[in-house]
């Protein structure tokens, strides 16, 4: 790993200087959203002070520079995930929006009564509920890939779930509740051998590991800008061109049309067919700065640094009496979920907050995961490129204080 200048990196994130409850902020809720570097913050101000205009429509200068900047992000996203063409990068509101787009547009057109959709036992609600809504509408059925006690998918069970009615697999790349990295490339290959398309939820992946959609040969891939150091309200749906072209849009309005008459409307080409109305322009433009920031450090360097930090955290946390990790997969990144015997996650989280330490407690929008492990929820610390071993030490000391107060 090239020299990882953590002090310079932390200086790039103004919020990390602040205090919470009179203590230095220790932000360990990056699975929920990441903090933003100065470059992203300044870009938002710059957009509104020097560029603001609507995109894809105006003939005037400001509209042109805003449109150009928005499309620069699309091209940057194309190379970030190694998509063949930028028209396969649909700009959405985020992962949830992207998955709902596929469930609605691909689902309505190509999944029918009696068909089956395979999802995994570790999915986020946004990769469960849209498929349930589709099945309620179309009479299709969801099959679930079980996982073992370590939080790893049962690949033999996965293979056995396929039958002639299977039409789609939807699986998370990295579990937001467990940190498990799933073997999605292998899962895609198995599905393709049976003629089944695959959507990968990459919300917890793109900021931690290199995601290459051509290497994966994935059919759809979804992620959010705010989890990769960019603004909220912007995300991506990547799709194979032939699939996106075959799917009808589900939102009608401006930009997604070629010609509108009261008799008939023809739709625009990709990507605009799926981008009705005014997008979150500033978020779309400023996501470019977030990608540049990640690339300036290098995903490989980020992956190596975060992995070293994760190993350090697991080793230190394991020394706390009563510690029980939830999610102990051999392949993990960023997320540490745990419970402490004799305490409730919420109580520990509240005490940590009083100490300036931000973690998440509860089911993390993954209630079936908690059911599978027979617990109401966990304490989740989720790491990012700016966290440090000193912060882990503060977390460990904070947990020990909480345990002394609660047990
Ligand atoms: C795996 C996974 N898939 C989809 C989503 C939804 O992302 P949106 O940007 O909200 O659309 C998330 C967001 N998980 C946050 C909020 S619940 C967490 O604290 O874990 C996710 O982790």
């Amino acid at each position: 790993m090239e020299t990882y200048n953590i002090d310079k990196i932390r200086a790039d994130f103004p919020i990390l200087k602040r205090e919470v409850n009179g203590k230095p902020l220790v932000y360990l809720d990056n699975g929920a959203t990441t903090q933003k570097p100065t470059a992203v913050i300044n870009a938002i101000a710059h957009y509104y002070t020097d560029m603001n205009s609507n995109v894809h429509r105006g003939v005037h200068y400001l509209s042109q520079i805003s449109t150009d900047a928005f499309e620069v992000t699309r091209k940057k996203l194309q190379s970030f995930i190694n998509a063949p063409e930028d028209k396969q990068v649909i700009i959405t509101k985020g992962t949830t929006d992207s998955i709902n787009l596929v469930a609605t547009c691909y689902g309505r057109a190509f999944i029918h009564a009696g068909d089956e959709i395979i999802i995994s036992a570790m999915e986020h609600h946004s990769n469960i509920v849209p498929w349930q809504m589709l099945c309620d509408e179309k009479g299709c059925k969801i099959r679930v890939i079980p996982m073992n006690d370590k939080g790893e998918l049962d690949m033999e069970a996965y293979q056995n779930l396929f039958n002639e009615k299977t039409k789609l697999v939807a699986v998370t790349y990295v579990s937001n509740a467990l940190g498990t990295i799933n073997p999605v490339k292998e899962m895609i290959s198995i599905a393709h051998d049976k003629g089944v398309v695959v959507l990968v939820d990459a919300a917890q992946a793109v900021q931690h590991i290199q995601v290459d959609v051509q290497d994966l040969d994935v059919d759809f891939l979804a992620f959010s800008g705010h989890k990769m150091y960019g603004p909220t309200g912007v995300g991506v749906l990547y799709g194979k061109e032939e699939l996106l072209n075959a799917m009808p849009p589900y939102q009608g309005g401006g930009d997604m049309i070629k010609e509108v008459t009261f008799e008939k409307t023809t739709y625009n080409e990709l990507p605009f067919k799926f981008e009705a109305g005014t997008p979150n322009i500033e978020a779309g433009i400023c996501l470019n700065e977030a990608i540049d920031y990640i690339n300036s450090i290098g995903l490989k360097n980020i992956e190596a640094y975060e992995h070293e930090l994760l190993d350090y955290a697991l080793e230190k946390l394991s020394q706390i009496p009563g510690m029980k990790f939830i999610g102990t997969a051999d392949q993990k990144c960023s997320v540490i979920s745990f419970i402490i015997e004799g305490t409730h996650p919420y109580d520990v989280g509240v005490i940590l907050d009083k100490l300036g330490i931000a973690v998440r407690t509860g089911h993390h929008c993954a209630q079936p995961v908690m059911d599978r492990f027979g617990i109401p929820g966990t304490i989740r610390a989720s790491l990012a490129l700016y966290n440090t071993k000193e912060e882990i030490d503060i977390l460990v000391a904070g947990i020990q204080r909480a345990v002394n107060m609660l047990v």
Side-chain angles (χ1 to χ4, degrees):
M1 178 169 74
E2 293 166 31
T3 310
Y4 194 90
N5 190 339
I6 188 61
D7 292 332
K8 181 196 174 308
I9 288 170
R10 286 182 65 84
D12 290 335
F13 292 81
I15 199 169
L16 297 180
K17 300 178 184 67
R18 72 155 293 159
E19 292 190 347
V20 168
N21 296 320
K23 301 279 192 320
L25 169 65
V26 175
Y27 185 79
L28 295 168
D29 193 20
N30 296 286
T33 197
T34 54
Q35 300 303 345
K36 317 307 170 191
T38 305
V40 170
I41 298 167
N42 290 347
I44 292 171
H46 173 64
Y47 170 73
Y48 279 113
T49 54
D50 296 275
M51 298 174 72
N52 180 48
S53 178
N54 212 327
V55 290
H56 299 134
R57 299 190 186 93
V59 291
H60 58 79
Y61 175 76
L62 289 180
S63 178
Q64 202 49 60
I65 62 171
S66 295
T67 300
D68 293 346
F70 194 83
E71 292 305 316
V72 161
T73 298
R74 196 188 309 274
K75 290 293 286 178
K76 195 66 68 65
L77 285 162
Q78 175 199 349
S79 53
F80 187 62
I81 57 174
N82 192 33
E85 296 188 74
D86 65 339
K87 65 181 173 183
Q88 297 172 254
V89 176
I90 312 297
I91 305 290
T92 65
K93 294 198 295 290
T95 307
T96 303
D97 192 27
S98 299
I99 296 171
N100 276 276
L101 191 159
V102 175
T104 307
C105 299
Y106 182 83
R108 280 185 184 155
F110 298 103
I111 298 179
H112 307 296
D115 287 343
E116 296 184 355
I117 297 165
I118 296 175
I119 64 174
S120 91
M122 66 174 78
E123 298 308 315
H124 182 277
H125 293 164
S126 65
N127 204 23
I128 299 173
V129 180
W131 308 112
Q132 291 175 319
M133 293 164 75
L134 176 67
C135 289
D136 290 344
E137 181 185 328
K138 305 286 292 229
C140 49
K141 184 179 169 192
I142 287 173
R143 312 285 303 276
V144 181
I145 312 165
M147 58 181 157
N148 62 22
D149 290 343
K150 293 172 71 177
E152 297 166 326
L153 294 183
D154 180 335
M155 290 299 283
E156 188 180 343
Y158 170 60
Q159 299 227 39
N160 293 334
L161 283 172
F162 285 89
N163 59 49
E164 70 286 350
K165 292 179 285 188
T166 310
K167 286 293 184 68
L168 181 137
V169 173
V171 64
T172 192
Y173 203 145
V174 175
S175 163
N176 71 311
L178 303 169
T180 306
I181 301 173
N182 287 318
V184 292
K185 185 171 179 178
E186 181 189 356
M187 296 177 79
I188 292 163
S189 174
I190 290 166
H192 285 177
D193 286 348
K194 300 168 190 298
V196 175
V197 302
V198 182
L199 176 144
V200 169
D201 171 350
Q204 298 290 351
V206 291
Q207 65 275 41
H208 301 298
I209 55 180
Q210 187 70 56
V211 174
D212 181 329
V213 292
Q214 294 188 70
D215 178 59
L216 293 175
D217 194 27
V218 66
D219 300 290
F220 299 107
L221 184 121
F223 57 94
S224 300
H226 70 96
K227 297 186 192 291
M228 51 180 285
Y229 313 101
T232 46
V234 65
V236 169
L237 170 67
Y238 160 80
K240 283 187 175 172
E241 184 177 0
E242 61 275 18
L243 295 174
L244 293 172
N245 279 329
M247 293 155 55
Y250 78 130
Q251 286 189 324
D255 245 15
M256 55 76 68
I257 50 92
K258 256 194 195 131
E259 186 184 14
V260 177
T261 67
F262 286 121
E263 290 67 40
K264 179 173 171 40
T265 289
T266 53
Y267 301 138
N268 206 337
E269 302 301 320
L270 292 178
F272 308 110
K273 178 171 82 168
F274 293 109
E275 296 182 3
T278 299
N280 185 333
I281 304 169
E282 72 274 16
I285 290 174
C286 300
L287 181 56
N288 181 45
E289 298 297 331
I291 298 168
D292 284 349
Y293 188 81
I294 291 171
N295 290 338
S296 72
I297 300 172
L299 255 180
K300 281 291 173 212
N301 292 327
I302 294 168
E303 184 177 359
Y305 177 80
E306 289 183 353
H307 206 84
E308 184 184 328
L309 193 58
L310 179 68
D311 288 345
Y312 179 82
L314 292 172
E315 196 269 324
K316 292 294 183 187
L317 287 165
S318 64
Q319 293 167 24
I320 297 173
M323 169 64 66
K324 184 175 187 310
F325 291 116
I326 307 295
T328 54
D330 295 340
Q331 299 300 316
K332 263 181 77 89
C333 75
S334 173
V335 169
I336 308 167
S337 256
F338 55 94
I339 56 177
I340 297 166
E341 274 144 28
T343 69
H344 189 284
Y346 177 80
D347 298 336
V348 176
V350 167
I351 293 169
L352 291 176
D353 176 52
K354 295 281 181 260
L355 301 171
I357 304 165
V359 295
R360 182 168 176 177
T361 67
H363 57 64
H364 318 298
C365 299
Q367 285 175 290
V369 170
M370 307 305 148
D371 295 343
R372 166 40 180 102
F373 286 96
I375 52 176
T378 71
I379 301 153
R380 184 190 73 178
S382 44
L383 308 176
L385 54 75
Y386 40 62
N387 289 127
T388 64
K389 289 180 179 177
E390 292 74 23
E391 290 184 309
I392 299 301
D393 294 341
I394 294 169
L395 170 67
V396 170
I399 293 170
Q400 281 160 340
R401 273 184 71 173
V403 170
N404 294 339
M405 291 167 70
L406 296 169
V407 179

